[in-house]
Amino acid sequence: MRLDTKKLRAYYADAPQDISLDDVDLEAIPSHVSIIMDGNGRWATARGLDRSRGHVAGVDSLREAVTTSVRLGLDVLSVYAFSTENWRRPQREVDLLMHLFATTLVKELPLFHQENVRLRFLGDIDVLPERTRTVFQRGLDETADHTGMTFALAVNYGARSEIARAARELARSVASGELSVDDVNEDALSARLYTAGLPDPDLLIRTSGEMRLSNYLLWQLAYTEFYVTPVLWPDFSRWDFLRAVASYQGRSRRFGGVMSS
Ligand code: FPP
């Protein structure tokens, strides 16, 4: 994606001591960054607030992450907002999150229009509460023609069920004779995942210090570089994003091969 360096420099003015835009190679920005946004609850609890306040604060971080991604010229930003396991949280918290997803999406549509961002969902959104579903569909319809960055929101997403669903679809196609057994390969399976058509993430960021994948993009992360930061999601800023990109650029990606000299 093309970079507007003037806008980017303005966005990254007022650098803190340890990081600045000069620490990253603007020619080697990852194409797809994915984020496990974690730590909202702990952020709120540490302040003596209800967990819900952490999620509300997390919305501001998410807005900034979208803007940062656009400014850096990413092709795709994907974020893990709600897993298939998150239904086990107290009903009040689930209701709040569903409400927050819907209201945030409506509120942020002008930003998506302004920045030419195309929205996409990863996960089974058909079973979400009706208002959330309706708003999500509106977001999809209104941004379908946008040609800029793709913002993929994982909601009611679980990687194992995603892979099982893709396998089921393949089995159905083989059973109907549409596909032969020998056509069942990596590309055929990838094409039936929620991420079909998107590049695999180059960089996965997880906030709040946890070192696990939590059933997120198990197939797609095969060769992704991981960056784990202790920063809690509501505190995650454009500077933390830049630190992650700088760390990513310091790695040598070999995709199972060896470095060419
Ligand atoms: C993890 O923190 C965060 C979530 C489960 C929800 C993510 C939601 C947001 C960032 C709110 C905005 C999202 C959208 C799409 C509008 P946690 O509750 O697991 O934190 P903890 O591990 O400290 O308990």
Side-chain angles (χ1 to χ4, degrees), residues 33-37 62 77-81 151-155 216:
V33 175
S34 198
I35 307 180
I36 301 179
M37 309 179 289
L62 183 55
L77 171 72
S78 52
V79 300
Y80 203 8
F151 174 50
L153 196 56
V155 178
Y216 186 54

Side-chain angles (χ1 to χ4, degrees), residues 24-247:
V24 302
D25 177 357
L26 297 182
E27 303 289 321
I29 297 293
S31 161
H32 180 175
V33 175
S34 198
I35 307 180
I36 301 179
M37 309 179 289
D38 196 11
N40 292 349
R42 275 163 284 169
W43 181 92
T45 307
R47 285 163 177 74
L49 302 169
D50 188 75
R51 289 176 55 82
S52 62
R53 296 284 295 278
H55 297 315
V56 171
V59 174
D60 292 334
S61 292
L62 183 55
R63 184 184 309 105
E64 179 155 331
V66 171
T67 308
T68 304
S69 302
V70 171
R71 292 286 167 270
L72 285 172
L74 262 59
D75 296 309
V76 184
L77 171 72
S78 52
V79 300
Y80 203 8
F82 193 89
S83 74
T84 44
E85 289 74 35
N86 285 153
W87 295 108
R88 295 188 204 128
R89 293 190 174 203
Q91 190 60 42
R92 208 177 131 254
E93 185 170 342
V94 170
D95 291 345
L96 180 273
L97 282 168
M98 291 300 149
H99 173 74
L100 211 54
F101 296 158
T103 50
T104 303
L105 204 73
V106 172
K107 230 171 91 193
E108 300 307 333
L109 271 174
L111 174 71
F112 295 162
H113 288 306
Q114 182 194 310
E115 301 292 353
N116 196 20
V117 170
R118 183 174 182 163
L119 186 65
R120 181 157 173 174
F121 292 98
L122 312 178
D124 182 7
I125 59 169
D126 290 343
V127 300
L128 301 181
E130 195 185 334
R131 172 162 156 69
T132 309
R133 227 177 336 126
T134 308
V135 169
F136 280 9
Q137 192 55 51
R138 187 179 147 203
L140 287 174
D141 295 342
E142 287 198 22
T143 65
D145 295 333
H146 291 177
T147 54
M149 186 184 81
T150 296
F151 174 50
L153 196 56
V155 178
N156 192 25
Y157 174 86
R160 287 184 174 180
S161 88
E162 174 188 41
I163 294 168
R165 175 178 168 270
R168 218 162 33 243
E169 272 189 37
L170 284 171
R172 236 179 244 124
S173 300
V174 169
S176 70
E178 192 188 313
L179 214 63
S180 82
V181 168
D182 292 331
D183 291 331
V184 177
N185 54 28
E186 293 182 15
D187 288 344
L189 197 135
S190 290
R192 285 158 181 83
L193 298 176
Y194 291 119
T195 47
L198 298 179
D200 287 340
D202 301 290
L203 169 65
L204 173 78
I205 300 171
R206 181 162 189 155
T207 58
S208 92
E210 307 292 349
M211 305 270 193
R212 50 176 179 269
L213 278 181
S214 304
N215 200 15
Y216 186 54
L217 301 181
L218 297 182
W219 175 279
Q220 299 87 339
L221 295 174
Y223 286 102
T224 303
E225 298 292 331
F226 288 6
Y227 178 85
V228 176
T229 171
V231 173
L232 304 177
W233 178 249
D235 291 327
F236 190 84
S237 69
R238 67 190 75 183
W239 303 104
D240 295 305
F241 206 123
L242 210 56
R243 287 183 187 100
V245 171
S247 165

Side-chain angles (χ1 to χ4, degrees), residues 11-28:
Y11 184 69
Y12 271 114
D14 307 322
Q17 296 276 318
D18 67 309
I19 184 96
S20 83
L21 206 50
D22 297 331
D23 294 317
V24 302
D25 177 357
L26 297 182
E27 303 289 321

